[in-house]
Amino acid sequence: MSSNAPHTPVLLDEVLEWLQIKPEGTYLDATLGAAGHSSAIAQRLSSGRLISLDRDAQALALARQRMTSFGANVESKVTLVHAAFSKI
């Protein structure tokens, strides 16, 4: 697999089902990684907000790039934070 290939998140459908995303809700992804779950959550928000954390600056840069590819509307709903989940 190429390192440029998008990451496929594990159990994405199950996570979205259990979260029951509300378009106006506020959500936290404490382990952003390659932004698979965060991207799916952000795309389901209208006036809601998503805060995503990762301790890896490279992961944050990848996530920012991935969010940008979905358009400014998605990116404007997401705050990416350089921090470990233990800092919540």
Side-chain angles (χ1 to χ4, degrees):
M1 177 186 286
S2 166
S3 62
N4 292 330
H7 169 73
T8 302
V10 176
L11 301 172
L12 179 61
D13 292 335
E14 292 83 352
V15 167
L16 294 174
E17 180 182 340
W18 280 95
L19 283 175
Q20 297 182 9
I21 305 295
K22 293 176 178 52
E24 69 285 352
T26 300
Y27 299 88
L28 172 69
D29 183 348
T31 54
L32 174 64
H37 289 101
S38 281
S39 296
I41 293 167
Q43 291 178 71
R44 287 162 174 76
L45 299 177
S46 57
S47 60
R49 194 87 195 130
L50 172 64
I51 302 164
S52 299
L53 293 88
D54 206 293
R55 68 183 330 160
D56 180 352
Q58 204 170 13
L60 288 168
L62 175 63
R64 187 169 284 110
Q65 180 181 19
R66 191 169 192 185
M67 295 290 179
T68 301
S69 72
F70 292 115
N73 191 33
V74 168
E75 190 179 13
S76 68
K77 299 171 194 170
V78 180
T79 300
L80 301 178
V81 180
H82 186 211
F85 69 85
S86 61
K87 299 299 181 186
I88 295 171

